[in-house]
Amino acid sequence: MSETDEIKEWQTQSSKLKVAFVLVMDGVSFHYDEENGIMFTAPDFYVENLKDRLVYAYGCSVRPIINEVK
């Protein structure tokens, strides 16, 4: 991770069980509520990699929608 990688807050309602599983395996802290779904902080490159991993390694049929919280 370089100095220019900004940590951002993200949220998703897609594939919640698989997203939570991978976040736990990676040691990424997150919280969940019914309104917002899973919320966590990470740099952009981690989230893009996470989407690909969920499809190719963990069986998601489509890339999950993970949005930045503004």
Side-chain angles (χ1 to χ4, degrees):
M1 190 161 87
S2 71
E3 293 179 23
T4 59
D5 293 328
E6 182 181 347
I7 303 294
K8 299 177 182 176
E9 188 169 11
W10 304 90
Q11 72 89 13
T12 186
Q13 289 279 6
S14 300
S15 305
K16 292 179 278 200
L17 291 174
K18 291 181 182 180
V19 170
F21 175 75
V22 175
L23 291 175
V24 167
M25 285 186 30
D26 289 348
V28 176
S29 297
F30 67 93
H31 68 275
Y32 172 81
D33 65 53
E34 287 186 33
E35 183 178 328
N36 297 314
I38 294 175
M39 299 189 72
F40 63 98
T41 57
D44 288 334
F45 73 87
Y46 175 82
V47 174
E48 289 306 311
N49 183 282
L50 174 64
K51 291 176 186 179
D52 290 338
R53 286 172 57 204
L54 286 163
V55 172
Y56 300 126
Y58 295 101
C60 288
S61 57
V62 295
R63 286 182 64 157
I65 300 168
I66 301 176
N67 297 311
E68 180 182 353
V69 177
K70 301 282 181 178

